[in-house]
Amino acid sequence: MRAPYVFLMIVAFLVMYMGIQKDDDEHKTEEKNKTEYNEVAKEVAYIGEEKPIHAFIGESEDMIIEQFGQPTRKDVSAYDYVWWVYYKESENYIQFGLHEGKVVTAFALGDNLSLFPFEIGSALQEGLLEKMIDERIEVLVADELIELKIDQNGSDNYLMNLGNAWAQLYVDEFTDKLMAIRYMDNETLVKQRQFDMVYRGSLLSPQPLSTEQIKEVEDGNERQVFEITNILRNRYNLPSLLWDEEIAKTAVHHSKDMKINDYFSHTSPTNGDLAKRLMMENIVYLSAGENIAAKYTDAPAVVIGWLNSESHRESLLHSDFTHLGVGVYEQYYTQNFIQTALD
């Protein structure tokens, strides 16, 4: 039997408040409340059979193979790393991003993964985010100190320092439950440009991609959008959607059309709305829906973004839809859903 894995995690958080000193007691009370967590460290001991996912950041690919086996597939990313996607069961779905033989990021979606001190599907303790997340974070990359400004008014902006990695918490804004976690090292956090940054000198950037690599990134994002969509549908007790190649062609044409013709809309200036575009492809259906997005980091980010938007959520979790096609062109994303015609 494998010896229990013992992990001591030091989660340090700093909440700073700066203001002009006033004499009134009301201001002093407010200042005290704002700074009561200043320079507080929280120690959490973990003892268990499974190594928590965040502890794999910085580990070798040999360690990943030893613990998880060979991946279901490998997808190229736009940020130097290659996604190792593990999708044998929905409850264990995870993506590890490897660069130069080391794990630099991970996206954990399965609800059976070891994510201590968090748990997928659970509500976060009231006030936890406010206590453990700062709106100003400093990251050291290549001897350059970079300040990140965090806007906490969004589900994809809950960023925590776990010591060896950053944890970005994705929370369902409609249920207040944790949906997924993205883990990153310092370099990946900076490369993805998810937050406003203040810095001097040059900022670390991913290597430029060739035309062939861009196409591989698009293909990988399409597969991931499809898989993540179905895992989330299953979590809400909805059936999985079937992939439809013809609908996917319609979707990618719309993403490409938006990019090339510089617009962002469900209605194309040349090809019309979704109904017209489906008709042009001779696709027969009872009902249809569409989600679009632009400028998102990658597939995990865009699907979480859709789920946290009321109108997009309605399409993503619609019980009548049976088939899905996904089209990605650079950073433009389209989901086309249909309910097939009855026989």
Side-chain angles (χ1 to χ4, degrees):
M1 179 176 178
R2 185 175 49 165
Y5 177 83
V6 181
F7 181 76
L8 179 63
M9 180 178 68
I10 308 257
V11 179
F13 53 91
L14 179 65
V15 178
M16 302 184 67
Y17 173 79
M18 299 181 65
I20 302 174
Q21 181 67 37
K22 296 182 180 179
D23 294 331
D24 59 280
D25 293 338
E26 180 179 354
H27 176 80
K28 290 179 180 179
T29 300
E30 179 183 359
E31 184 176 354
K32 180 178 183 297
N33 291 338
K34 287 283 188 177
T35 58
E36 67 178 325
Y37 294 104
N38 189 35
E39 297 180 354
V40 175
K42 178 181 180 182
E43 292 189 357
V44 182
Y46 173 83
I47 300 178
E49 296 257 341
E50 294 184 79
K51 184 175 182 176
I53 296 301
H54 77 264
F56 286 96
I57 300 298
E59 293 282 13
S60 69
E61 63 179 67
D62 290 338
M63 175 64 73
I64 297 301
I65 293 173
E66 178 183 336
Q67 295 291 322
F68 297 89
Q70 292 293 335
T72 306
R73 67 170 189 280
K74 298 178 181 180
D75 293 341
V76 177
S77 84
Y79 304 100
D80 295 334
Y81 53 82
V82 174
W83 280 123
W84 286 27
V85 180
Y86 289 85
Y87 187 24
K88 295 180 180 178
E89 306 90 14
S90 296
E91 59 269 23
N92 291 316
Y93 184 95
I94 188 167
Q95 301 175 198
F96 287 106
L98 282 92
H99 177 54
E100 297 181 345
K102 299 289 184 181
V103 179
V104 298
T105 186
F107 174 69
L109 180 64
D111 55 16
N112 195 39
L113 297 170
S114 177
L115 304 177
F116 183 84
F118 306 107
E119 183 178 351
I120 298 297
S122 296
L124 296 179
Q125 181 181 349
E126 185 177 356
L128 176 66
L129 295 176
E130 290 77 6
K131 294 177 183 178
M132 302 189 72
I133 299 173
D134 202 340
E135 293 184 353
R136 296 163 66 93
I137 291 174
E138 290 184 340
V139 179
L140 185 64
V141 176
D143 297 326
E144 182 74 29
L145 193 61
I146 301 169
E147 180 183 294
L148 279 63
K149 294 184 177 180
I150 313 297
D151 176 10
Q152 297 187 40
N153 297 319
S155 65
D156 59 342
N157 291 323
Y158 300 134
L159 189 66
M160 295 176 55
N161 189 351
L162 299 182
N164 74 311
W166 297 94
Q168 188 174 11
L169 309 181
Y170 292 110
V171 178
D172 186 331
E173 294 183 347
F174 293 85
T175 65
D176 291 326
K177 293 182 178 180
L178 185 64
M179 286 189 290
I181 306 176
R182 185 196 296 266
Y183 301 101
M184 298 164 282
D185 64 7
N186 286 2
E187 288 77 11
T188 302
L189 176 62
V190 171
K191 287 178 183 179
Q192 290 187 349
R193 306 287 199 274
Q194 296 190 63
F195 309 97
D196 291 335
M197 299 183 185
V198 178
Y199 63 97
R200 293 181 180 179
S202 59
L203 194 61
L204 182 66
S205 299
Q207 293 296 312
L209 298 174
S210 66
T211 302
E212 181 180 351
Q213 289 172 323
I214 291 173
K215 182 63 171 62
E216 291 177 343
V217 171
E218 293 166 349
D219 291 344
N221 277 326
E222 288 172 358
R223 288 190 291 265
Q224 291 169 34
V225 166
F226 177 71
E227 292 168 350
I228 295 170
T229 295
N230 273 334
I231 291 171
L232 291 176
R233 283 177 61 88
N234 295 162
R235 191 172 292 173
Y236 291 93
N237 300 314
L238 294 168
S240 296
L241 301 170
L242 300 176
W243 178 266
D244 190 296
E245 191 63 34
E246 292 305 311
I247 302 172
K249 290 178 182 178
T250 302
V252 75
H253 288 162
H254 189 60
S255 292
K256 186 174 183 179
D257 188 35
M258 287 192 292
K259 168 63 178 179
I260 292 176
N261 293 303
D262 192 24
Y263 74 94
F264 183 72
S265 172
H266 291 284
T267 303
S268 166
T270 55
N271 299 319
D273 61 10
L274 176 60
K276 184 176 181 181
R277 285 182 272 122
L278 292 174
M279 183 177 64
M280 290 169 60
E281 299 295 334
N282 297 314
I283 296 173
V284 180
Y285 62 94
L286 287 179
S287 61
E290 180 174 74
N291 285 337
I292 59 174
K295 310 303 183 183
Y296 275 82
T297 305
D298 54 14
V302 73
V303 178
I304 299 298
W306 279 329
L307 195 67
N308 275 329
S309 167
E310 186 170 2
S311 60
H312 298 91
R313 183 188 186 92
E314 183 178 349
S315 294
L316 198 146
L317 300 181
H318 201 297
S319 60
D320 290 339
F321 291 147
T322 57
H323 292 69
L324 172 63
V326 181
V328 179
Y329 187 81
E330 296 186 12
Q331 284 191 311
Y332 284 78
Y333 303 80
T334 301
Q335 277 185 316
N336 286 159
F337 305 84
I338 69 164
Q339 176 188 7
T340 54
L342 299 176
D343 294 332

